[in-house]
Amino acid sequence: MNRFSLSVSAGIARVTESAFGPYQSAVVRIGFSVTWLLFLLREIPHREELYGPDGPWNWELARQLIDSNGAFTALMWSDGRGWFELVYALALLSSALLLLGWRTRTMSVLFMVGVLSLQNRSVFVGDGGDNVLHLMSIYLVFMRCGRVWSLDARRVRREQEARARGERVTDRVGPVLWAVTGCALITVTVADRFHSEWFIPALLWAAWCAQGLWWAVGRLRKSAEPRILFDVIGNVLHNGALVVIMVEACLIYATAGWYKIQGSRWQDGTAVYYPLHLDYFSPWPMLADLLSASGTMVMIVTYGTVIVQVAFPFTLSNRRLKNVLLAVMMLEHSVIAVVLGLPFFSLAMIATDAVFLPTPFLHRLGGWAARARGRLFSDGDGGGGDRDGGGRAAPEPTDEEGAAPARVGFTA
């Protein structure tokens, strides 16, 4: 074989044999579940006006819009107040459980259902952060995002330790969840409640069937080949979704930067001044006045924003420069969250940026979190460095299904 064929074979093997970025995937999962959970908690007093029966965009208007655009929302299955409260509660619960990494495959699907149901019910509520969250909730379904920093990883590790001691391990929760969600899916399908386009219903059915097949292959297999095949499919889907998130982040920043270049206010260096003095974007008027008092500072921030957004996609091949611009963008979004009063937009963008975080930094972050937990509890839990929280060296990333993939992450 020539060198090109060997390179292609090595590339295919790398993509199919392991799921990339276990720590980056976990941070993306945590970031978006935190963003949605905090938003839902903040809007509990206003939930019925925003998405429910008391809103100006009533159920009948939403019904007409859904019939025309084919968007998916479970809130169109009934116009009752009780159904709305149930969907809102399930959205809260799925966000919290996905944050903790409990049954991440099932919770990622329910998380997507909650996000799409509420956002598509009232499409005129939200901002750019909602659009990002909308898309990322779909991508999370394809990702193996519970291999580290999750209750699933801890459960798999304990099951492996129990098997090593010769104990028999039986998972009863997984089959029950699969059966309950299957009954709900069958009921909705038979009742012809899906009025959306085919993609989301097909994705729900595909996820449910794949989970059942995964369980069957894992428990009833007579050879290793079926499990290897499912691992390969899972790795390809995960790696593809991770690449899509990266490309989407680059497109967001590149298009935003190039559109800014065409604006006269961005060209003359004054664009940042104006949102700081809009009442809608001024939760802290004194802080806004302080930041805009210096014309030189306004010009630096205006030009710097454009330069960073346009340059970022071109710096991905340079590890150090990419990390510097990544830190600048995250800092910029943190400032936007406070100064302009857009916390959830900023959190959504920071969670998207997290896919580019270097693996060594995330290792250290995990070590810091473990040591902090060790200080909070007096029973000795937590350790230093790269530990699992109990003083032992951290194991390889594991899937909630029990697989132990190679430790492959992003070193850049």
Side-chain angles (χ1 to χ4, degrees), residues 364-385 389-391:
R364 290 194 294 271
L365 184 63
W368 296 336
R371 288 193 294 271
R373 190 180 69 171
R375 295 189 185 100
L376 290 176
F377 300 98
S378 58
D379 57 0
D381 276 352

Side-chain angles (χ1 to χ4, degrees), residues 167-246:
E167 301 176 6
R168 182 177 180 181
V169 178
T170 303
D171 179 20
R172 295 183 176 87
V173 176
V176 170
L177 275 176
W178 184 81
V180 171
T181 53
C183 289
L185 193 56
I186 292 171
T187 301
V188 172
T189 304
V190 171
D192 195 23
R193 296 293 186 180
F194 285 122
H195 300 291
S196 60
E197 293 182 351
W198 63 270
F199 177 71
I200 296 300
L203 179 58
L204 294 176
W205 273 106
W208 184 74
C209 293
Q211 189 72 352
L213 288 174
W214 189 284
W215 181 89
V217 167
R219 302 305 187 275
L220 307 177
R221 67 178 185 268
K222 295 182 180 180
S223 62
E225 285 78 8
R227 182 56 182 264
I228 294 175
L229 175 62
F230 272 70
D231 271 330
V232 168
I233 295 173
N235 291 335
V236 171
L237 291 176
H238 168 90
N239 295 334
L242 210 58
V243 170
V244 169
I245 292 176
M246 293 179 177

Side-chain angles (χ1 to χ4, degrees), residues 33 79 117 239 258 323 330 346:
S33 57
D79 60 350
S117 295
N239 295 334
W258 286 107
N323 291 339
M330 288 186 167
S346 298

Side-chain angles (χ1 to χ4, degrees), residues 21 23-36 111 128-140 143 241-254 312 316 322 325-327 329-330 333 343-358 362 410:
Y23 293 93
Q24 288 81 359
S25 303
V27 174
V28 170
R29 182 199 85 230
I30 293 170
F32 281 105
S33 57
V34 164
T35 301
W36 186 237
F111 178 79
D130 293 317
N131 294 332
V132 174
L133 182 61
H134 191 105
L135 294 171
M136 295 302 171
S137 68
I138 299 176
Y139 302 152
L140 281 173
M143 295 176 63
L242 210 58
V243 170
V244 169
I245 292 176
M246 293 179 177
V247 172
E248 183 122 0
C250 291
L251 287 175
I252 290 173
Y253 286 118
F312 179 73
L316 296 182
K322 182 265 296 182
L325 292 187
L326 186 62
M329 290 192 302
M330 288 186 167
H333 287 302
F344 302 110
F345 165 78
S346 298
L347 282 174
M349 291 309 303
I350 291 174
T352 304
D353 296 341
V355 74
F356 296 106
L357 288 173
L362 294 177
F410 298 152

